[in-house]
Amino acid sequence: MDEEAGVGAWQYLRQIPEHFRWRDFVHLTSPAAPVVTVLGYGLGLKRRRLEDDLDGRDPAFVRWAMETTRAVARSWFRWRVEGVEHVPAEGAALLVGNHNGGLMPIDTLLTMAAIEDRLGVERVVRPLAHDLVFYDRAAHRAAIKLGLVRAGHSSAHAVFRRGDLALVYPGSDLDTMRPFRERDRVVLGGRTGFVRLALTAGVPIVPVVSAGTHEQLIILSRGERLARALRLDVWARAKVFPIALGLPWGLFPAFFFYLPLPAQTTLAFGEPIAWPDLRPQDADDPAVVQRCYAEVEARMQAMLDRLSRGRIPWLGQR
């Protein structure tokens, strides 16, 4: 980390008290916070009615979060961005990304920061997040201010009606917890819901792919057998119990926060994908949906192949 970049990052970190309650910040930065949330969710604790709050987004908070993200990303990850001009400057669209890095939402923050840097805080990006984020009260407050909504078609359609961008990761846990040896693969898991969503809403899909993000944490195994034994799919909507290698824990279950390794990271946006010949009712045709899914997956894999060609882990492309 160069000295100037480090000072810039520290400048934004000093502003944390302006945006968080002290107890919220302590809770959210606790390495065990995700474990406590998962257990509480699974055991049925803290159950309450969850609703989206599209008016709760705080532009000042978003601007600070994005400035902080960029400062840390440029110094720690030697971050590069390609193709952000492909993101529509106005109107609804669906951003579809490959997911990386375990429970840390680094790829989400980088995507938001790249768009905010080009189009300003007024161009609203709304990530669709797992219910777990909203069951934790401190995370819920921060998520609402950042503009997150619950993952689901109804939430996404509400986002589109406002002319905003929705950000989804179809591969979810299968993708973000894929083993390190598969870091150059896009794993959407055959989950076609995002295609049906785009067709029904009549919005284009913008592929978003990152390389290097999956080197920030070394996933050794998804732990799918262990997840089935623990019935995580029933009570936590998860099909994995991943084992990872990372700082500062060494070998650990990847349900804890961690210190990301300083891997060079590149984020790329592809040209929008649209099917003007298709109608909303085509979303009910499995053959059409599968064809569109295959097109998006192939485009994203080609993007990742290009970013990974000649890449040296942690150091970046030669």
Side-chain angles (χ1 to χ4, degrees), residues 235-293:
W235 58 270
R237 283 175 54 193
K239 296 184 178 182
V240 298
F241 191 97
I243 304 300
L245 187 64
L247 298 176
W249 314 112
L251 189 68
F252 71 107
F255 290 126
F256 291 84
F257 287 150
Y258 59 92
L259 175 63
L261 297 171
Q264 189 282 322
T265 299
T266 301
L267 181 73
F269 296 82
E271 295 183 6
I273 302 172
W275 302 280
D277 56 318
L278 298 179
R279 302 162 299 171
Q281 51 265 43
D282 290 316
D284 297 324
D285 186 331
V288 170
V289 170
Q290 189 59 44
R291 172 171 61 83
C292 296
Y293 170 90

